[in-house]
Amino acid sequence: MQSDRTSEWFVPKFGPKNFRRSVGILFLPYTAIVTCFAVLGATSGSLDVGRIVAISIIYFLALGVSAHLLDAIGGKTKPWGDLPKRKLWSISMISLGAAFSIGLYFAFLDSPLLFPIGIAEGFFLFAYNLEWFGGKFHNKITTIISWGILPVFAGSAIQTNSITLETVAISGITALITYVLIRNTRPYKILKQNNGDQQEIRRRELFLKILPLGVIIGTILFLL
């Protein structure tokens, strides 16, 4: 079985191995999707560019860095090699601390709705990636809630401290996109691990390339 993920399409094909692993472990296309969801949530009220940047940084640090490093620590397999756990923990906690510091600033300033959202996201971050409670939260529903719904709510909360009907409608779309992503990612991963049908792998890989690009372009157009 193929357990080394450095051959994945989102991992750079250039540079030393440590650089390639460092970029790959961030799962940048999927991080970009969730960051875009937070941005879309922040468009449901009057636009404050500074707050849009803030929520983008929060989700990049909390998900792109902290959550993915915790996944490397808590995962049953080691697709990125035998990485030093102490270093992963340190970087993860520093990134998470920075993300929560930004969130707390706006929560205390005028967006207290960020408090419950941040607590929920923090719980899922640890429960999912470290497989707490026997892995009961390591499932599709948790992913859809923490990736597809709560980022939209957080974007709206930091902008207007409210969850509007528009926010709920957007979260329905982003939850569906997350579901579609899961439905294609897991079979693709199994095919890759077992050196399955190469044509099917390429077909699913193409879809996984198009989806993040479509979300990014759609978010930009929505902002414009």
Side-chain angles (χ1 to χ4, degrees):
M1 293 179 67
Q2 179 184 345
S3 58
D4 183 5
R5 299 199 71 175
T6 55
S7 63
E8 292 278 10
W9 60 274
F10 52 82
V11 179
K13 307 303 180 188
F14 57 87
K17 187 175 182 179
N18 282 342
F19 166 76
R20 296 175 63 238
R21 287 194 304 186
S22 297
V23 175
I25 204 171
L26 300 178
F27 292 88
L28 290 176
Y30 307 139
T31 300
I33 288 176
V34 180
T35 303
C36 283
F37 290 168
V39 171
L40 287 171
T43 62
S44 59
S46 57
L47 293 182
D48 183 325
V49 176
R51 291 174 185 253
I52 291 176
V53 172
I55 200 65
S56 299
I57 294 174
I58 288 171
Y59 270 92
F60 177 82
L61 291 175
L63 171 71
V65 180
S66 184
H68 287 140
L69 293 187
L70 289 179
D71 185 61
I73 294 170
K76 293 182 175 66
T77 60
K78 303 297 178 186
W80 304 106
D82 190 16
L83 302 175
K85 285 190 176 182
R86 183 175 296 179
K87 184 178 289 185
L88 292 179
W89 268 109
S90 298
I91 297 173
S92 177
M93 292 302 100
I94 290 171
S95 298
L96 188 61
F100 269 87
S101 295
I102 298 171
L104 285 170
Y105 168 79
F106 285 100
F108 280 112
L109 181 65
D110 56 13
S111 304
L113 190 55
L114 285 173
F115 281 117
I117 296 172
I119 291 170
E121 286 284 48
F123 172 78
F124 287 134
L125 186 147
F126 286 100
Y128 179 92
N129 293 293
L130 297 179
E131 300 192 27
W132 286 357
F133 309 104
K136 289 182 180 179
F137 290 92
H138 195 90
N139 53 48
K140 295 177 183 178
I141 295 175
T142 298
T143 306
I144 291 170
I145 294 172
S146 62
W147 280 29
I149 297 175
L150 290 180
V152 179
F153 287 2
S156 179
I158 200 173
Q159 195 76 273
T160 65
N161 191 44
S162 65
I163 304 296
T164 64
L165 287 176
E166 183 181 354
T167 305
V168 174
I170 293 173
S171 70
I173 296 171
T174 55
L176 179 60
I177 293 172
T178 305
Y179 174 75
V180 171
L181 178 64
I182 295 169
R183 289 280 295 179
N184 283 271
T185 299
R186 295 188 178 179
Y188 165 78
K189 185 178 176 180
I190 292 170
L191 285 167
K192 288 279 287 185
Q193 287 176 337
N194 294 281
N195 295 315
D197 182 81
Q198 294 301 306
Q199 185 174 355
E200 179 66 13
I201 289 175
R202 286 193 295 270
R203 186 182 71 81
R204 290 187 179 275
E205 192 172 281
L206 178 61
F207 178 82
L208 292 174
K209 290 177 180 178
I210 292 173
L211 184 62
L213 184 62
V215 171
I216 293 169
I217 293 174
T219 302
I220 293 171
L221 292 176
F222 197 76
L223 283 170
L224 293 176

